[in-house]
Amino acid sequence: MSPIEIGSVAIAALLVLIYLGMPIGITMLAVSFAAVAAIRGEGVSMRMMGAVANDSLREYLFAVVPLFVLMGLLVTVSKVGKDTFDVFQNLFGRIAAGLGIATVFANAVFAAITGISIASATVFSRVAVPEMIRHGYTRKFATGVVAGSSVLGMLIPPSLLMIVYAVLAEESVGRMFLAGLGPGLLLALAFCVTIVLLARFRKDFVFASADDFATPPAMGAREVLTKSVPIVSLMLVVLGGLYGGFLNPTEAGAAGALGALVIAILRRSLDGRTFWKLLVETGQITVSVLFLILAATFFSRMLALSGVPRGLAELFLAGPIGPYGFLLLYILLIIALGCLIDSISIMLILLPIALPIAEAAGFDLIWFGVLTVVAVEVGLLTPPFGLSVYVIKSAMDDPDLKVGEIFRGTWPFVMAMLVSIALIVAFPSIATWLARL
């Protein structure tokens, strides 16, 4: 067999083994090892695996992963998310569907200090959904808003998916963070417009009944200020330091983790046992992410050795499909895979194949990365996988709430995400103007 044939068989074997339930990291390592051994021999495969383990994980940059994960967990345990929702509820709660808009903005701000969509889904399913139901909104709409806006956690910086993409594409993490800001705000605006349109034209979707709608009580200026200070302080430390050029991404993560720790201690929401559990959870998440990155790096080198990406680039770019035909197929494939596997796994499988084609097509890799992250996040809302939906179901403690009801509530927000993807494709400067300053 030729190297390209071996690489093609390796990709097919990877997809089959993942479908059969084999862990993705182990599958990628095993398939890559076997393919390199078939192309160059077992000795070369062993040496390449050792080189990958050394090269892919010794970067100083990787310290940012546990730091941002720890910051997100500390922020969650210190109830900053509830305070964020309370502040925006006070601002928007008196307008039609105002609590839905408040949830979107609260998620956007919470995303700026966590970077993990699942954390947002967990917090706001417990904070926002009961409040919205109590004030006359349908469960379908309340859970759909929380699930939809939770995806902002992986787009608005700091973002774990942006870090993974930056590593695989060999792009600057800081520039990827900057690139996510414009699309993140666009997506938040698209969600708000969707909520307003639903409240106007599909009242039965939003409100349980016209009589049930109630106005939340207003907070005093002092209470608003007290609840805003921790959020604003963390955003100034992390984003201000990062965008102001005072801190690199790793230092910003360290400063944010320290700030979140101080807030949790001052609020007395953190005892020794809880802190230890958070450290263990941080370690588990970090190790799983780094192991997947190691496996994806080996997979990428195997593909480069086989020549598959080069062959695909020639096939797509020289044929009738063209660069934007490839881009459309790539986005559709991501959304389809999002129905089956998690976000990071999709990126680790597809990017080693797609990045060389995107580069050959002349695409800006920062812009391509933003499109990838938004498309991947659609998978958090679509059945049957829909991780954000299942997180909300497990966090709600409501036996009458059905998973199908949450999925129905997310569809307007999936449509809003698809429109946002189209806008980013049509106007690349939405993603690139900040990153290229």
Side-chain angles (χ1 to χ4, degrees), residues 113-162:
I113 50 177
T114 58
I116 305 173
S117 293
I118 302 308
S120 298
T122 303
V123 169
F124 288 100
S125 61
R126 294 171 180 167
V127 171
V129 172
E131 191 73 7
M132 292 172 74
I133 292 173
R134 190 167 66 86
H135 284 95
Y137 294 84
T138 63
R139 283 188 310 190
K140 171 173 60 178
F141 174 75
T143 53
V145 169
V146 170
S149 56
S150 71
V151 304
L152 296 170
M154 284 300 190
L155 189 57
I156 294 178
S159 160
L160 192 57
L161 283 187
M162 290 288 194

Side-chain angles (χ1 to χ4, degrees), residues 72-417:
L73 294 174
L74 286 168
V75 163
T76 302
V77 82
S78 60
K79 295 184 171 62
V80 169
K82 182 181 186 306
D83 288 350
T84 308
F85 176 75
D86 289 344
V87 169
F88 283 102
Q89 174 184 311
N90 188 65
L91 290 173
F92 298 106
R94 296 178 181 276
I95 64 176
L99 288 187
I101 296 171
T103 303
V104 171
F105 277 103
N107 250 315
V109 171
F110 193 68
I113 50 177
T114 58
I116 305 173
S117 293
I118 302 308
S120 298
T122 303
V123 169
F124 288 100
S125 61
R126 294 171 180 167
V127 171
V129 172
E131 191 73 7
M132 292 172 74
I133 292 173
R134 190 167 66 86
H135 284 95
Y137 294 84
T138 63
R139 283 188 310 190
K140 171 173 60 178
F141 174 75
T143 53
V145 169
V146 170
S149 56
S150 71
V151 304
L152 296 170
M154 284 300 190
L155 189 57
I156 294 178
S159 160
L160 192 57
L161 283 187
M162 290 288 194
I163 296 169
V164 172
Y165 178 85
V167 170
L168 294 177
E170 298 181 2
E171 289 286 342
S172 162
V173 172
R175 288 192 170 185
M176 284 304 305
F177 281 176
L178 285 169
L181 196 58
L185 294 176
L186 170 68
L187 204 55
L189 179 62
F191 288 157
C192 290
V193 170
T194 300
I195 290 168
V196 170
L197 292 175
L198 286 171
R200 181 170 182 139
F201 298 108
R202 287 291 309 276
K203 290 187 177 181
D204 60 318
F205 186 92
V206 178
F207 305 112
S209 73
D211 298 331
D212 289 340
F213 184 72
T215 302
M219 290 193 299
R222 183 174 180 179
E223 188 179 1
V224 170
L225 184 63
T226 303
K227 293 193 172 190
S228 300
V229 166
I231 310 158
V232 174
S233 300
L234 268 181
M235 289 179 67
L236 285 175
V237 168
V238 178
L239 300 184
L242 194 60
Y243 299 153
F246 305 110
L247 304 172
N248 64 35
T250 304
E251 292 165 347
L258 177 61
L261 178 61
V262 170
I263 290 170
I265 291 172
L266 290 177
R267 292 189 161 199
R268 297 180 181 178
S269 57
L270 191 68
D271 55 29
R273 187 173 181 179
T274 303
F275 187 49
W276 176 250
K277 283 176 64 179
L278 293 185
L279 290 176
V280 171
E281 189 173 351
T282 300
Q284 290 170 340
I285 294 171
T286 302
V287 168
S288 65
V289 169
L290 294 183
F291 180 73
L292 285 170
I293 288 174
L294 185 155
T297 305
F298 194 16
F299 184 62
S300 179
R301 292 192 184 183
M302 179 274 293
L303 289 175
L305 187 66
S306 71
V308 168
R310 185 175 62 253
L312 286 174
E314 292 171 359
L315 175 67
F316 280 118
L317 305 181
I321 294 178
Y324 285 93
F326 154 71
L327 185 65
L328 177 61
L329 289 174
Y330 173 69
I331 290 172
L332 291 175
L333 182 57
I334 288 177
I335 293 172
L337 284 175
C339 296
L340 303 172
I341 56 178
D342 65 280
S343 303
I344 291 181
S345 298
I346 294 170
M347 291 176 65
L348 295 177
I349 292 168
L350 290 183
L351 284 174
I353 304 168
L355 281 170
I357 303 173
E359 199 165 9
F363 291 148
D364 185 314
L365 292 188
I366 296 268
W367 168 77
F368 188 74
V370 170
L371 281 175
T372 299
V373 171
V374 179
V376 161
E377 289 292 271
V378 173
L380 291 175
L381 307 179
T382 50
F385 191 73
L387 187 56
S388 282
V389 170
Y390 288 102
V391 167
I392 290 170
K393 168 62 179 167
S394 63
M396 278 297 296
D397 193 28
D398 181 357
D400 295 328
L401 180 65
K402 306 297 182 187
V403 170
E405 191 174 8
I406 307 175
F407 276 124
R408 286 193 295 275
T410 65
W411 275 112
F413 302 97
V414 171
M415 295 299 106
M417 292 183 76

